Amino acid sequence: MDEILNALLRALAFGTPLLLASLGAVINERAGVVNLGVEGMMALGALAGFAVAYGDGSPGSGSIWLGILAAMAAGGLAALLHAFVTITLRANQFVSGLSLTLLGLGVAGLLGKKYEGFPLIGQPNQWPFTIGAIVLALLLAFWLTSTRAGLTLRSVGENPAAADVLGLNVNLIRYGAVAFGGAMAGLAGAYLSLVYRPSWTDGMTAGLGWIAVALVIFVGWSPLRAIFGSIFFGLLYYLQFRLQGKTFIPTEFFSAMPYLLVIIVLALAGLRGQQGAAPEALGRPYTRGER
């Protein structure tokens, strides 16, 4: 029983950044905008959060809470760049997102060199982040299905032309959704550098952003199901470290296990017709007057 409880707690610890990032991606994709830049925004958030929380390294020179805000701001600003390119300039959303990932990882790696090897003084507790992420998922599930604002967001992702006819500002709503997604990715990055591993290391996102993007499809764009999906993938990460060196299976297999399972579950989702749950206008830019 103790082993099961420990595994669940570890799964929650690993799954928290996945849940935070995937909730943001659910919202911007519900509005019809794909952002594959989650990995890059998480890296920028992780660096910004650590830099502000660390300060000059002396006690009291930094602030954990300001670090969290800085991480969300960094992710949100990066997302707004993606929004400008894809919503205003109507560029390809997939290409822009991939470029944002490369940009975010590169900038974070370059600017973060001076912080490498320094630990954070005063590690915050994990549970406010984990419980807060779960509560947020529940609130977003209710908001999307039972409030006028949530239904408005979904209408923009399903049929932006009809939403436009009703007087809704499609582009503004999409900008807001993308910015929220970026802020959540930045918060997920802050969790990594401030809570899970209170330090800055280049590449510390380790592909979690890509898993978060895939998780959105896996859970059918549902904030509620994202809770269970993130715990599931969090458990896989725990098993990856728990089983290494204890079986005859090569270590590389366990390192690749979460990513292999992403491919498998997405393939199964495709076979089940899960892609039918995607917003109708997902990935398509909108120009007023087009039908």
Side-chain angles (χ1 to χ4, degrees):
M1 180 61 71
D2 290 342
E3 183 66 25
I4 294 176
L5 179 59
N6 182 59
L8 178 59
L9 293 176
R10 292 291 184 178
L12 286 169
F14 279 110
T16 297
L18 289 175
L19 179 56
L20 290 170
S22 64
L23 289 176
V26 164
I27 294 302
N28 61 242
E29 292 196 13
R30 281 288 194 175
V33 181
V34 175
N35 188 352
L36 299 182
V38 176
E39 181 85 1
M41 294 185 296
M42 285 181 65
L44 290 171
L47 174 61
F50 181 80
V52 173
Y54 183 77
D56 62 12
S58 61
S61 63
S63 169
I64 296 293
W65 298 110
L66 287 179
I68 292 171
L69 292 176
M72 296 180 71
L77 288 173
L80 285 176
L81 175 62
H82 174 70
F84 175 73
V85 171
T86 59
I87 298 173
T88 301
L89 301 183
R90 304 180 75 246
N92 185 285
Q93 295 179 11
F94 297 94
V95 174
S96 175
L98 289 171
S99 301
L100 181 57
T101 284
L102 296 175
L103 177 64
L105 291 173
V107 170
L110 179 64
L111 298 181
K113 289 186 181 299
K114 66 178 182 178
Y115 294 106
E116 289 184 349
F118 294 100
L120 182 67
I121 300 174
Q123 178 183 4
N125 191 287
Q126 165 206 332
W127 293 108
F129 286 83
T130 301
I131 295 172
I134 294 174
V135 171
L136 179 60
L138 296 174
L139 291 175
L140 287 177
F142 174 80
W143 182 78
L144 280 172
T145 58
S146 304
T147 68
R148 182 171 182 175
L151 295 174
T152 295
L153 179 82
R154 291 170 57 192
S155 69
V156 167
E158 295 290 344
N159 193 335
D164 192 4
V165 169
L166 292 175
L168 300 176
N169 190 326
V170 173
N171 286 352
L172 183 61
I173 292 171
R174 286 186 167 182
Y175 261 90
V178 172
F180 176 81
M184 293 303 295
L187 181 58
Y191 175 88
L192 293 176
S193 63
L194 302 181
V195 181
Y196 181 72
R197 188 187 304 159
S199 61
W200 163 255
T201 305
D202 188 17
M204 70 186 309
T205 52
L208 287 173
W210 292 112
I211 293 180
V213 171
L215 182 60
V216 174
I217 304 171
F218 177 53
V219 302
W221 291 267
S222 166
L224 191 59
R225 289 198 290 268
I227 298 174
F228 303 100
S230 62
I231 294 174
F232 174 67
F233 280 102
L235 181 61
L236 288 180
Y237 265 93
Y238 167 70
L239 292 176
Q240 167 189 332
F241 295 105
R242 186 77 172 81
L243 298 178
Q244 281 185 10
K246 296 186 177 181
T247 69
F248 64 90
I249 302 175
T251 301
E252 290 77 10
F253 173 80
F254 292 108
S255 299
M257 186 168 62
Y259 308 101
L260 291 174
L261 197 63
V262 165
I263 297 173
I264 293 172
V265 297
L266 290 180
L268 292 176
L271 291 175
R272 294 199 315 266
Q274 185 78 22
Q275 67 272 19
E280 187 68 27
L282 181 62
R284 300 206 304 264
Y286 174 69
T287 299
R288 195 168 196 179
E290 288 187 354
R291 293 292 186 269

